[in-house]
Amino acid sequence: MPGRKEWVYGWLLLSPALILLFAFTHYPAVVTIWDSFFSTPRGNREARFVGFDNYITMLEDETFWQVLTNNLWYAAVTIPVSIGLALAMALWVDGKLKGRGFIRMAYFAPTVLPLIAVANIWMFFYTPGFGLIDQIGSLFGFSEVNWLGDPDLALGSVMVVAIWKEAGFFMIFYLAALQSIPPSLREAAAIEGAGKWTFFRRIVFPLLMPTTLFVSVNAVINSFRLVDHIFVMTEGGPDNASSLLLFYIYESAFKYWDTAYAAALTVVLLILLSILAIGQFFFADKRVHYQ
Amino acid sequence: MSDRFNYDQFLNTLGAWFLGILWFLPIIYAVWTATHPGEYATRFDLLAPLTLGNFVDAWNAAPFARYFLNTIMLVTFILIGQFVLCTLAAYSFTRFSFPGKDILFALVLLQLLVMPDILIVENYSTMRALGLIDTIAAIGLPYIASGFGIFLLRQTFKTVPKELEEAARVEGAGPIGILWKVYVPLAKPTYLAYGLVSVSHHWNNFLWPLIVTNSVETRPVTVGLSIFGSVDQGIDWSIITAATLMTSGPLLIAFLLFQRQFVQSFMRAGIK
């Protein structure tokens, strides 16, 4: 096809997707940054330029710092634990195991459920006194615990739910990677007399690095993106002890209707995600060995 | 050699089963609660009478039929939109060269990081400006041009041999004909994989639909469930659990029936 005509075709085919992509991803991202330098329009008062006022408010906002700290803890715990469990699950399900089909289904099933439904089920476990966890606890003589109502326990209780939901999802990607490792490597290692652990540490684990990178980027994004369970389980409480950044953005925008402040918070979230994702690529670049 | 008891194997099996049971316990427990009368919700008794009454009560307590219809319309709308738009875009990126192609592709990939899920504030005001608040279109539109879908299809299209395209061209097929007759049929497994991932993702989506909908006629099941499930409404746990299972039921049953395809499609979506 001659040049000019090919351009036109290329652009025409691309344009419907690009228009929607710009309308709902790039345009709002740019406008969010723009809006964060303006005040929230209220009633007849239009938005006016306020410079860094929203950011200064944020720095002085204790709730913001608490929510940010919560979210960083949430990421720091749920990401490594769910990835570690996912790897263990994948190794088990990939190996010789009695009842492999059932086990694989059990690991993966939570992934299929809506997070909001998962939260409902877990709410019931956490109910003080007669929830499943307290009932099992009482068999061992533990007293009643208000898992979601205690500021020290609420965030941890929410993390458990996230790990339960995510680990099986990440397992799938490890499983795919494990199945693509040629069996000849195992045979060669066996001939060389390498033990199981050495084989895993020196051969399997390095070969899984691209998968680990892929999974961990996903895990980082999810730890800032998924807040559905917070709505059902704690609504961020008690006293913001289990609130996460996106949940706080939701509250600022749609509960207090302070959209300018919510825009500033969104900018922080976007910066955070970019730093983490870019950081992971640079960090991983030196360690990942592509086949 | 195998006379000796294999500790390693034993411990691994034990660990795998322990975790498996732990992972499955919440679901089993939810099924137990939903299929027994309320007074057995917190008390195990193997002889407790089975009942489907909780499901009936839940179904009658809220307009779930309508919620299901909304969700089905929503996922269908998104799936068709994604298939059409992402196919065209991926084809353009694979087989045409035009100025700005690399930058545009980078902008598409940017969506993997900057997702519409996060940009709720601005997308809400866009929807309001378009007069689309409280419509199913508003829930679906931000997700239709999916960066992930374009990327996935482009990877698949790149593996299509040039010779097949040449052959179709000799037979007189134009660019759209080639796409339809050569590329799309060869990418069927990718469409299946992406379709399953997309449907389960949007069936389960909650935050954005919660924000843009405010009536029974548009709410998907996840939002309906969250309104129904607020405990302070005084509905007992067995009924809430029944409603919970009901809303996740179709996906869960589909998953149990097509477990292999499900797992493989997620795997395929991840490898590419």
Side-chain angles (χ1 to χ4, degrees), chain A residues 35-97:
Chain A
D35 275 2
S36 72
F37 294 107
F38 286 81
S39 67
T40 302
R42 288 184 200 280
N44 294 328
R45 271 186 299 142
E46 284 194 6
R48 61 189 167 79
F49 182 77
V50 294
F52 282 92
D53 274 11
N54 286 317
Y55 293 94
I56 293 166
T57 315
M58 194 191 301
L59 292 179
E60 288 162 356
D61 178 7
E62 274 177 40
T63 310
F64 164 71
W65 288 110
Q66 165 142 35
V67 166
L68 185 65
T69 319
N70 284 349
N71 215 148
L72 292 175
W73 272 113
Y74 181 85
V77 174
T78 58
I79 295 169
V81 173
S82 51
I83 292 179
L85 281 174
L87 183 54
M89 287 170 170
L91 287 167
W92 279 331
V93 172
D94 189 46
K96 272 176 269 153
L97 189 73

Side-chain angles (χ1 to χ4, degrees), chain A residues 6 10 17 21 24-26 31-32 35 92 96 98 105 107-108 112 114 120 125 130 135 164 196 225, chain B residues 8-9 12 16-17 23 26 29 42 92 97 107 111 114-115 117-118 122 127 145 204 206 244 255-256 267:
Chain A
E6 191 173 334
L21 201 64
F24 298 109
T25 302
H26 301 96
V31 174
T32 300
D35 275 2
W92 279 331
K96 272 176 269 153
K98 283 200 180 70
M105 183 206 55
Y107 291 159
F108 189 65
V112 192
N120 262 346
F125 292 166
F130 62 93
Q135 285 211 23
W164 182 71
K196 254 185 162 174
R225 183 178 69 94
Chain B
D8 187 53
Q9 179 85 26
N12 272 319
W17 271 90
W23 241 241
Y29 193 62
T42 55
S92 168
S97 52
L107 285 174
Q111 204 207 27
V114 182
M115 298 173 152
D117 291 317
I118 294 165
E122 295 304 335
M127 289 305 171
N204 295 345
F206 171 71
T244 303
F255 163 65
L256 291 175
M267 276 164 55

